[in-house]
Amino acid sequence: MNATVLKTSITKLFTSGKTFVDLSAPELMEKALARNEGALTDKGAFAVTTGKYTGRSPKDKFFVKDKTTVNKIDWKRNQEISESVFLGLYKKIVTYLNKQPERFVFHGFAGADPKNRLPIQVVNEYAWQNLFSRQLFITPSQEELQDFHPGFTIFSAPGCKADPATDGTRSEAFIIISFTHRIVLIGGTEYGGEIKKSIFTVMNYLLPQHGIMSMHCSANQGSDGRVALFFGLSGTGKTTLSNVSGRALIGDDEHGWSEQGVFNIEGGCYAKTIHLSKEKEPQIFNSIQFGTVLENVILDDRRVPDYDDNSLTENTRAAYDLHHVDHALFPSIGGHPSAIIFLTADAFGVLPPISLLTPEQAMYQFLSGYTSKLAGTERGITDPEATFSTCFGAPFMPLPASVYAELLGKLIKQHNVSAYLVNTGWTGGPYKTGSRMKLAYTRKMIEAALAGTFINAKTVTDPVFGLHVPAHCPGVPDEILMPKNTWEDPAAYDQTARELAGKFNENFRHFPEASDSIRSAGPVSR
């Protein structure tokens, strides 16, 4: 099997059963209901369960190592697989899909900027996953569909399970990306997030090679036109903190930053819904409308979602179109950002809830990408674990970290961007001893940061982390701003802070290419 075979059009690739192309959301919901794939909620969302895979499986994600990628992908941080294994699984998944009575195809775009967008094609075994794709990617106009040529194709067949002994995979699940053939294979897992993050990974490979920064961040824009970026891994608050009234939402998770400004890579949002309420997060709650896909959310007898029920997973999700968000910006394009917020959920409870960063500290934090993996985001995670995810998105960054860091550093300097580190994690002690920082306080701190309140304000330098902590913030108790003040045992705080500082320093050994000025912007562990 060669590349020519892989370029065969979808209509010719499948010779049996029915292939439904670009069905509308109502049509896909009808199909999904008829196929018993899920249930309608009281608001017209479509609720599904994803079996044992309720989060991403990063250990089952591979890149084909060939002449296209051998000198580009960072193979120290990404898993390789041979082209022969890829071709074998390609044949297996196409054969499997061809045996199904029905399959579903969606055509769309990744990238709101017409100059920097990728035409994509998603082939699904399940109607609900095709609806999921329609909600999260950008739907073309009828005119755009007339001359549509996919630049990348995803084949997603949860029922097609690999046999590690014969297929060369780690488990029954597989996510394999070939940049030579421009194909993604997803099998053995029903979790919709694999589709979304595969295309994000593809864009993180393609965009920087054209001088465009790709970012795992949310973005919004104030009435004054000033754009803010929110970097962070799942569970740190990107979606919640960027999705606020008074600021137009550009996007909640994936963006590019070009010479013209910031643009959304997606056409929808993928929000965590555990403990979601209209009172705490009205923008997200109200966006769950007809056509939304709910993953692993339990419904009561009246088909009302119980967002507090975590019996299947902590990682319950809602995938909805940006058009459901009443304050979304269209097209999803903004100017150059004036502020960058690095979000972390510190399970140690020692990082300040907000601090100002020098340019060197901003690059140190970006390369470090410290947070805690929260329950449910990945399979096997039941309690928060301290982790460092380079560029706040290591699982999705195929290129060397220095590529992204150099691009971001250049843009921050060029546009004089202010940077902040915001801890949405624990205060008053570590996980299970302290408590999660109140969302209301975090919102107040970010409001002040975006208003420029802290730029010339009095700050206190943290003796361990070297961070510049504001002495005051409107609407937030002063004692909360310095985490040591919230601990009952100051000595325990000092010890824990030094431990975390040591973890930072140990992790930063992975970046020998970092300049002395960036390296010295890290914490002191003793």
Side-chain angles (χ1 to χ4, degrees), residues 116 211-212 257-261 336 410-411 414-415:
N116 298 299
I212 300 166
W257 186 356
S258 70
E259 292 182 355
Q260 287 72 45
H336 296 289
K410 175 184 175 182
L411 289 165
Q414 182 178 347
H415 299 286

Side-chain angles (χ1 to χ4, degrees), residues 185-218:
L185 304 178
I186 302 175
T189 170
E190 297 181 42
Y191 183 62
E194 299 288 12
I195 298 173
K196 164 191 161 69
K197 288 302 187 185
S198 291
I199 288 297
F200 182 43
T201 301
V202 167
M203 295 297 276
N204 286 329
Y205 176 88
L206 298 175
L207 289 179
Q209 296 185 61
H210 295 280
I212 300 166
M213 179 64 185
S214 55
M215 305 172 291
H216 188 213
C217 70
S218 56

